[in-house]
Amino acid sequence: RSAWVALPAGSMLCPALISGLLVAAVLGWQETSRAAAVESAIAATRWTDYEPHQPVAVVEQAVDRLSTAVRNRWYDGNAHLRLAQLWIHLYRLHAFAELKRELPAKSDIELWRLTDIAHLHARAAELASVKNVVELDRLRHEPVVANYLPQAWNHLMWARKMCPWLAEIHLQLAVLCFLAGDPAMDQGHLDQVRLLASHDPDYLYAVGLLDLNDDRTAQAYREFKKSWSLSIWHHYDIIALVSRRLTMAQMLDFVVPASPEIMIKMARETYSGAPHAYDRMLLMRRAEQLLTTLTMDPADKFHARAGLELLKNDLPQALADYQRASQLRPTNGNWQGETQALLQNIRAAEKAREAASHAHARSDGNRGS
């Protein structure tokens, strides 16, 4: 019994435990301090706007501060991603200054759009498609590119190594992959984006743009269609891109989602003028087919049908369908507003007709007298 009552090593157990706890506390404090430094540096870069007139010195100071913090926390993938974004922003600011000197007639908004690295990817892809290796290499070594974007690429590679499940990292790598070789190498990075952001309309739209740059048109149309089916946020941009390449019949087959509401919106807003009469007819015909074949919620179906009747200028039937849709879904304030607006338009039209009829009758009476 005395063997376990007084063990010789027992006297060392408590000091060892205390020492271990002290070491853990010091390491924990160091890690917390490093993480706080990184978070503080990142927070200082959360500007409200990324604009061409932002002082370069402010961005450079932010880069220096975050770079210093990352040296003590080199495994922070989010910090590396933020640094890559800052280097890209520096490239855009310097590229904007150059374009401003070269193209003084263009507006600042136009020039700022041209500094988007997606345009740089498109230019690299075009040069690669015609096997213009000399110009592609010259593009990589342009000072405004070589001074900033390789830094962004390196931080993106670190970010992917430390945090490979962020779609943003793979998307930026896809855009900048021409720095390391053939722009078509972006396919592998884009596959990762599709895997990680398969239901994000913004990422799908961005992937479609890069596919379009690389002449993977069929794939780009699929990405646009999926993005559009999830959100109408890129509705007008997609129409502007594909309408230059496809007829309306092809757009309906390959790009426009099978949604009567989307087709009615296109017919009402983008293809409303007389020059678009044929395209509008195709949209209305396809929407009508879908309304008879798709399984839809009754309220949505009545609302879509009302929009179609409006395009046909059948106001009474449109009003009846709007009222039915609002009855089925009374909590939808937008539908209630559409119903009231149409009702007021119909009443105003009736009053105008009555006034015209009275005026015509008075004129006939005056002629008779």
Side-chain angles (χ1 to χ4, degrees):
R1 289 173 62 87
S2 62
W4 61 267
V5 171
L7 290 174
S11 60
M12 297 297 296
L13 181 61
C14 187
L17 180 60
I18 293 173
S19 299
L21 290 173
L22 286 173
V23 170
V26 170
L27 292 175
W29 175 82
Q30 288 179 340
E31 180 62 22
T32 302
S33 177
R34 292 168 182 167
V38 168
E39 288 302 317
S40 177
I42 291 176
T45 69
R46 294 194 179 109
W47 303 298
T48 53
D49 291 313
Y50 285 88
E51 56 178 19
H53 304 296
Q54 190 173 22
V56 172
V58 172
V59 185
E60 289 176 340
Q61 289 171 5
V63 168
D64 291 340
R65 181 180 176 183
L66 186 52
S67 297
T68 301
V70 167
R71 288 192 192 101
N72 295 321
R73 194 177 164 83
W74 53 269
Y75 45 85
D76 192 321
N78 188 54
H80 282 291
L81 173 60
R82 192 73 190 100
L83 266 173
Q85 292 168 340
L86 291 174
W87 280 106
I88 291 170
H89 189 45
L90 277 176
Y91 155 77
R92 296 192 68 183
L93 290 173
H94 287 280
F96 174 81
E98 285 193 3
L99 290 172
K100 188 74 173 172
R101 290 190 296 269
E102 295 170 3
L103 305 169
K106 287 189 175 291
S107 68
D108 288 356
I109 294 176
E110 290 177 295
L111 295 178
W112 185 243
R113 286 174 181 164
L114 290 175
T115 66
D116 193 316
I117 56 173
H119 288 283
L120 203 58
H121 177 275
R123 184 179 165 196
E126 183 180 2
L127 292 172
S129 67
V130 295
K131 295 182 172 52
N132 194 337
V133 180
V134 175
E135 283 299 319
L136 182 56
D137 193 58
R138 185 176 300 168
L139 173 65
R140 294 189 187 107
H141 290 90
E142 286 181 5
V144 72
V145 173
N147 291 341
Y148 305 102
L149 294 184
Q151 302 277 3
W153 173 266
N154 292 335
H155 283 292
L156 286 169
M157 295 296 286
W158 273 103
R160 184 182 66 174
K161 185 176 181 180
M162 299 304 150
C163 191
W165 51 86
L166 287 181
E168 182 66 22
I169 296 171
H170 298 283
L171 181 63
Q172 297 299 331
L173 283 170
V175 177
L176 294 178
C177 71
F178 72 91
L179 295 171
D182 188 350
M185 290 166 51
D186 64 353
Q187 183 68 65
H189 302 296
L190 294 181
D191 288 342
Q192 292 299 315
V193 179
R194 293 186 193 95
L195 179 66
L196 295 168
S198 59
H199 293 87
D200 189 307
D202 295 329
Y203 279 111
L204 292 172
Y205 172 72
V207 169
L209 285 178
L210 296 180
D211 280 331
L212 207 60
N213 288 344
D214 291 326
D215 287 329
R216 297 187 292 264
T217 53
Q219 196 162 300
Y221 296 154
R222 286 195 295 270
E223 303 301 340
F224 288 153
K225 186 171 187 175
K226 189 171 182 180
S227 172
W228 199 350
S229 66
L230 293 169
S231 170
I232 62 169
W233 182 253
H234 301 287
H235 171 94
Y236 300 106
D237 293 328
I238 292 173
I239 291 174
L241 282 168
V242 302
S243 61
R244 297 194 292 263
R245 295 173 169 84
L246 302 176
T247 65
M248 177 54 67
Q250 292 171 326
M251 285 174 61
L252 289 170
D253 288 338
F254 303 127
V255 182
V256 181
S259 165
E261 294 275 16
I262 286 176
M263 295 172 189
I264 291 166
K265 179 180 175 67
M266 290 174 65
R268 184 173 59 243
E269 296 178 358
T270 311
Y271 296 91
S272 59
H276 304 297
Y278 180 72
D279 290 340
R280 186 168 61 255
M281 180 269 294
L282 291 179
L283 286 164
M284 292 169 61
R285 183 181 296 172
R286 183 67 64 90
E288 196 162 20
Q289 290 173 352
L290 291 173
L291 282 171
T292 59
T293 58
L294 283 181
T295 302
M296 299 174 61
D297 181 90
D300 292 328
K301 195 164 191 174
F302 276 111
H303 183 261
R305 193 176 295 281
L308 189 60
E309 298 299 342
L310 269 181
L311 290 173
K312 295 177 179 178
N313 207 30
D314 189 347
L315 301 189
Q317 185 58 49
L319 179 61
D321 288 337
Y322 269 134
Q323 289 173 335
R324 184 64 179 138
S326 298
Q327 289 170 359
L328 291 172
R329 195 174 295 167
T331 56
N332 193 315
N334 291 332
W335 290 5
Q336 298 284 349
E338 290 173 353
T339 304
Q340 291 302 317
L342 179 57
L343 184 58
Q344 290 174 4
N345 289 340
I346 291 175
R347 287 172 178 170
E350 289 175 351
K351 288 180 180 179
R353 282 196 300 270
E354 289 175 2
S357 177
H358 290 320
H360 183 69
R362 283 197 299 270
S363 65
D364 286 345
N366 291 334
R367 284 197 298 270
S369 62

